[in-house]
Amino acid sequence: MEADWIRGLIGGLMIGAAAALYLLVNGRIMGASGILGGFLTRSPAGSEWRERGIFLLGLIAAPALLVWAGFGHGSRPVASTLGLVVAGLLVGFGTRMANGCTSGHGVCGISRLAWRGIAATLTYLVFGVLGVVLARALG
Amino acid sequence: MGRLLVALASGALFGAGLLVSGMTDPAKVRGWLDVFGAWDPTLAFVLGGAILPMALAWRIAARMPRSLSGAPLPGPASRQIDARLLGGSALFGLGWAIAGYCPGPALASIGFGGAAIWIFTAAMLLGIGLHTLLNRRS
């Protein structure tokens, strides 16, 4: 339990440092859903699209390499196939509709005391707690 | 070239941080949201740890005319809180709780998460596509 919160804090500092780097050097807000959405819809095309693609490459490759090298472990799913499909649709649609997720609204929004980020985070936390109840029903 | 290298480094550091923090473990996320059950407070440390350096970065950015690469910095944050923001966040929160994955950790798990993460990610991409389609029509 104690090691858990220390790892959480260290990992959190790494996430925040990644967002700080992306902001101060590239002038961009590090939001996972926005970067993925912009990459998929190719908007805008050109250098910004390539930048998003290469960010996603780092995001996918680094943890995969770490797990492969023996640091960290694979994740065990908590939802059934139906649950995964329903959840994926809700996460994909919801984050695009709200224009952000935990990294964009949560990390980058709250840290600049943005009202939108705070409101979004409180909303998805409340519905997340409700969702756990629903998830038990879905299995 | 420099911007692309920074994007790669930032994405890699983000992904490594998600793995180290435990965000790529759906059971851990479920535990955080299970306030009425066996609540696991780890994610509060993840969020707190992530906000600290970023709060400092916003203060530094406020004193800079442009970003270090020369690209403009983001403008002031929008204050508009509307039905799209709250409704979208509510849908996202429900999905986050059901599978224990949000977009960052889902992508970070593609390389090692097995079949479950492929199913989730495929559905997530479909959800993004559906939103894009509906938005284009209206």
Side-chain angles (χ1 to χ4, degrees), chain A residues 3-124:
Chain A
D4 270 14
W5 73 260
I6 294 173
R7 279 216 310 273
L9 187 64
I10 293 171
L13 288 168
M14 290 165 74
I15 296 165
L21 183 71
Y22 207 47
L23 174 74
L24 294 176
V25 183
N26 284 15
R28 295 200 199 291
I29 289 171
M30 191 188 81
S33 57
I35 291 171
L36 178 64
F39 178 74
L40 290 174
T41 53
R42 285 184 152 268
S43 66
S47 67
E48 195 173 338
W49 180 76
R50 279 198 296 279
E51 197 182 312
R52 285 182 168 136
I54 211 134
F55 178 95
L56 294 172
L57 183 72
L59 170 58
I60 293 168
L65 287 172
L66 285 172
V67 170
W68 179 74
F71 303 101
H73 52 81
S75 54
R76 213 167 291 129
V78 294
S80 63
T81 303
L82 174 67
L84 289 166
V85 171
V86 171
L89 284 169
L90 287 169
V91 168
F93 193 92
T95 52
R96 292 315 288 146
M97 185 175 161
N99 222 343
C101 54
T102 40
S103 46
H105 283 314
V107 176
C108 297
I110 292 179
S111 60
R112 75 193 297 206
L113 298 175
W115 287 112
R116 271 175 69 82
I118 293 166
T121 303
L122 287 176
T123 306
Y124 67 66

Side-chain angles (χ1 to χ4, degrees), chain B residues 22-47:
Chain B
M23 285 290 286
T24 51
D25 181 358
K28 200 119 201 88
V29 175
R30 186 75 81 78
W32 157 252
L33 295 171
D34 198 3
V35 177
F36 303 114
W39 189 57
D40 177 353
T42 308
L43 252 71
F45 292 93
V46 182
L47 193 62

